[in-house]
Amino acid sequence: MNLIELDRALKQLRLGGMAAVLETRLRQAQAQPLAPIDLLSCLVSDELARRGERLLERRTKQAQFRDSQKTLDNFDFTFNKKMNRSLVFDLAAGAFIARHEDALFLGPPGAGKSHLAQAIGQAAMAANLEVRPEDFEYAPFAQRGGLGAAHRVFGKGLKPLLDELAEATLDGTRKEHMEFLVTVPLLILDDLGMRKLPLTAAEELLEIIMRRYERASTMLTSNRPIEDWGKLLGDAAAVSAMLDRLLHHGHVLKCGPRSWRTKTDLPPQEAAG
């Protein structure tokens, strides 16, 4: 089998990572030289790396973040110095997802809540990118479970999410839509309090939280203190039941009090502060 035939065979076997670097690795083996086992190890590592990258791409696409560039590396922790950095990095490590714990990020608009939530989601998706047999490209999509192993993440503004759920109710796909929302390992609900919510918001949110309780992790951001949620959602009893579950195994991160978006309007010394 010559190089062209070998390349074709690797692609037929869906070993595109090996095929992409085959010629380069063969030249490397001749130049160094590499023992057969070392050459094979390099090719297998190349294939695993390519599949890991594709798995991360699929997870990122599914997450539907507004800005996939929001990471911990580009978050300015110096702006709000009292923020609990230790908690942020503990959450980013992802152990809370395995323990089915929740997290609430509270603070004024512009304090970095959404940025941190998406950054922790990004870290969760990048963790544990071990490629398993069910993630192989030749496995049927249903057998792969769609997008691979944990940690799958889905993030959405609360208002758009409730609107989509209402549409799913009308078109008869509510059961499937809700099943996804209650089973994704990390669900990020963003911006509670930013926009007026439908009358059914408390009921819908309570169902999601109750069904996820101690089964999956939920992260929620809000610019309103939890004492206001009953009035905000129009159902104090439902909110009380929801908070009882969120706070039982929950972490609370207080962001702020300053807004990062308005720091350019502050006096020079204070903006530098």
Side-chain angles (χ1 to χ4, degrees), residues 60-115:
T60 301
K61 184 177 180 180
Q62 183 204 38
Q64 296 188 21
F65 290 151
R66 288 178 295 185
D67 186 351
S68 61
Q69 302 304 312
K70 299 291 188 183
T71 67
L72 292 181
D73 290 338
N74 56 34
F75 184 80
D76 184 4
F77 283 99
T78 64
F79 184 61
N80 283 305
K81 297 180 180 180
K82 293 184 179 181
M83 185 178 292
N84 188 343
R85 296 192 195 186
S86 177
L87 175 57
V88 171
F89 284 99
D90 282 346
L91 293 172
F96 84 106
I97 302 175
R99 296 192 297 262
H100 304 152
E101 297 171 351
D102 304 314
L104 303 181
F105 289 2
L106 308 174
K113 303 180 300 297
S114 296
H115 186 139

Side-chain angles (χ1 to χ4, degrees), residues 69-235:
Q69 302 304 312
K70 299 291 188 183
T71 67
L72 292 181
D73 290 338
N74 56 34
F75 184 80
D76 184 4
F77 283 99
T78 64
F79 184 61
N80 283 305
K81 297 180 180 180
K82 293 184 179 181
M83 185 178 292
N84 188 343
R85 296 192 195 186
S86 177
L87 175 57
V88 171
F89 284 99
D90 282 346
L91 293 172
F96 84 106
I97 302 175
R99 296 192 297 262
H100 304 152
E101 297 171 351
D102 304 314
L104 303 181
F105 289 2
L106 308 174
K113 303 180 300 297
S114 296
H115 186 139
L116 286 174
Q118 291 183 49
I120 290 170
Q122 294 283 358
M125 289 187 295
N128 301 327
L129 278 175
E130 178 181 354
V131 180
R132 308 181 306 172
E134 56 264 43
D135 298 318
F136 285 2
E137 296 172 9
Y138 56 75
F141 187 79
Q143 179 182 334
R144 282 187 268 140
L147 292 161
H151 303 300
R152 291 179 298 119
V153 179
F154 180 70
K156 199 84 171 182
L158 183 58
K159 175 65 164 58
L161 182 140
L162 292 174
D163 288 343
E164 289 180 1
L165 192 55
E167 292 174 5
T169 301
L170 292 175
D171 64 25
T173 61
R174 174 188 167 85
K175 182 178 180 181
E176 295 82 357
H177 199 84
M178 182 64 79
E179 188 64 22
F180 170 75
L181 291 177
V182 300
T183 57
V184 65
L186 176 58
L187 176 65
I188 300 175
L189 303 175
D190 200 15
D191 290 339
L192 171 62
M194 286 292 290
R195 300 170 65 182
K196 186 175 181 180
L197 299 174
L199 296 177
T200 58
E203 181 181 348
E204 299 284 22
L205 191 54
L206 177 59
E207 180 181 354
I208 293 171
I209 298 303
M210 287 182 65
R211 293 179 61 182
R212 292 181 61 81
Y213 174 61
E214 295 188 332
R215 294 182 176 89
S217 293
T218 304
M219 186 177 295
L220 197 151
T221 77
S222 177
N223 66 349
R224 303 282 288 273
I226 58 177
E227 294 82 7
D228 292 351
W229 289 11
K231 182 178 180 180
L232 180 66
L233 294 170
D235 190 333

